[in-house]
Every structure is written in C-alpha cells, then in structure tokens.
Amino acid sequence: MTRVPAYFDAFLTAVAGGAEIDHVHLGHWDAPGAIGPARARAGFAQAQDRLSAALIAWLDLARGHLVLDVGCGFGGSLRTIRTCHPGVEVIGLNLDPRQLAVGFRRDRRRRNATWIAADACRLPFAGGMFDRLLCVEAAFHFASRRDFFAEAHRVLARDGVLVLSDIVLTRPPLPEEEVALLADGLEAAFGPWPDKWASLDAIGRDAEAAGFTLLVTDATANTEPSFHTIAPGRSDRPTSGDVLRELHRLGCLHYLYLRLDKR
C-alpha cells in the first residue's frame, strides 16, 4: 500500500488537540509582492481558501454535477463546493482513513457527500461516472501521474474536466551531491514523491496520452508568500518547508494550476 505523507501526522495531532484546520495546501495571493512575512502568516488561512476557490471556479460546476475530490484531505475544498454549489453532489477520496474521519466528523449536513478510502491510481468507480474531478496539491505524491490521468479519464463522463494544482520541480543547477541532499530532504519531509524532477512537458505528454487537452496557469508567484508561513527560515529551528523554500529561491519550484478537458 502506498504510504501516507508523514507530515499529516502533525496535522492530525493538531486537529486532535482542537485545531481547526480546513486545508493543508499552500495559499493564493493576488498581490504577492506586497505581502511580507507577518501579513502572510496572518492571512494564510484566507489565502488557502482563495486557492481552493480559484480551482473550484475552473471546474465550471453546474447543478446536478457529480464531483470527485481526489486527495480530499480534511474536506475543506469539498465543503466549499457544497456551500457555493448546493445542487452538486460530491465524493471525497483519500488514501488515509484518518483524514477522511476528520472530514466526516466536520460534515454537518451529511447530504450529497460520500467519503471513500482508496488509491488515486486505482479509482473504485465505474467508467464515465463523474462530471468533474478535483485534485488539490496531491498528484506529486501519487505513484504515477500517468496512471492517475488514465484513471481520471476513465471515470469522467463525456466533456468531463479534471482540475488540479501541482508542484513541478526543475532539477537545480547544483553539484550532484547537493541535488541528492535536496532530493533526500524532499522525500523525508514530503514523501512519497516518486518523480521529483518530472517536467511540465512530461506531464503534458502524459495528460495528452490519457486523452486530455491541457491548459496551464503558473501560480508560482501567487503562492510565494506561503513560504513565509510554512518555512519562516529560523536557523535555530529548521522546518520541513526549508527544502521547498530553497528550491523556490533557486527558481526550481513551479506551482501550477492545471485544467485537463476530456477529449
């Protein structure tokens, strides 16, 4: 079985202690250059809501749609869909039953929503079942984006749409031993990350091979203030986000919004 990223243990511990955590993804700022560390930390939850809302808007939802949220975490995006689009039915899917349990407990309506534990690369659904798929900041953890895209294409109806945010890393122009240290740091803090240096061209080829047309928006600059929050750069207490901040500093981290339309 594919392992769950270890950083979720800390989130789950915080939730068990009473923390209200809706999202575990980065945030979106419309004017990132004006956002300093203090403002980023203070507005991080709202920025996470904006990122989720931006991706949901790209789904072009309509009454009667059935939506699958792949890697749904604690269900924050799923709840946003249900609030903004009450005529839409949603299913949250996650590999980790612990995260699903948190989402289920917070689901106060329990209507038009289902929670399922399964692997994104082996979706337990009939072909053509869904109108839309959403996947927020999870695909780089999957064993294979190619397999996920093939499964997404299979379960989407005619004219179906998959919208996702993804982190794409360019191999840094550093000596091999330094690249290996960064790769080890990524795996330790954020693994599983099977294909760390997958290029956007390769992802595009996989999407096209699965039967999708791909549209890409680069949101790297908009997510940049997130690193003030997840990796504040305290030398006396390194954080798990330090390796992402370093890759971002090197210009090797690209945060992308992807829309894949089924052909």
Side-chain angles (χ1 to χ4, degrees), residues 59 68-72 93-94 118-125 130 132-156 161-166 194 203 206-212 214 258-260:
L59 286 170
L68 177 66
D69 185 357
V70 182
C72 63
L93 181 141
N94 199 293
D119 189 329
C121 295
R122 294 188 294 273
L123 297 174
F125 305 109
F130 295 95
R132 300 289 188 266
L133 264 65
L134 177 66
C135 180
V136 183
E137 210 168 298
F140 54 88
H141 289 309
F142 300 162
S144 166
R145 285 187 184 89
R146 177 187 287 267
D147 289 349
F148 170 55
F149 291 160
E151 280 290 270
H153 191 275
R154 180 183 66 80
V155 302
L156 278 169
V161 175
L162 162 63
V163 168
L164 67 153
S165 63
D166 204 352
I203 293 171
D206 287 344
E208 187 169 329
F212 288 106
L214 177 65
L258 311 174
R259 172 170 164 147
L260 284 65

Side-chain angles (χ1 to χ4, degrees), residues 13 24 76 79 98 118 124 168 212 215 225 237 240 256:
T13 298
V24 294
R79 286 188 290 276
R98 301 171 301 169
V168 176
F212 288 106
L215 181 64
R237 192 177 65 193
S240 62
L256 307 177

Side-chain angles (χ1 to χ4, degrees), residues 59-70 78 81-82 85-93 111-116 123-134 152 154-163:
L59 286 170
D60 293 332
L61 294 174
R63 178 173 291 276
H65 275 168
L66 177 59
V67 181
L68 177 66
D69 185 357
V70 182
L78 183 150
I81 290 174
R82 296 175 71 200
H85 303 274
V88 168
E89 185 174 351
V90 292
I91 295 177
L93 181 141
R111 292 184 57 193
N112 296 339
T114 305
W115 306 83
I116 293 177
L123 297 174
F125 305 109
M129 180 172 171
F130 295 95
D131 300 287
R132 300 289 188 266
L133 264 65
L134 177 66
R154 180 183 66 80
V155 302
L156 278 169
R158 184 188 300 271
D159 299 323
V161 175
L162 162 63
V163 168

Side-chain angles (χ1 to χ4, degrees), residues 3-7 140-141 183-194 196:
R3 63 189 173 92
V4 176
Y7 62 84
F140 54 88
H141 289 309
D184 289 345
L186 276 172
E187 193 62 32
F190 300 103
W193 199 317
K196 295 176 181 62

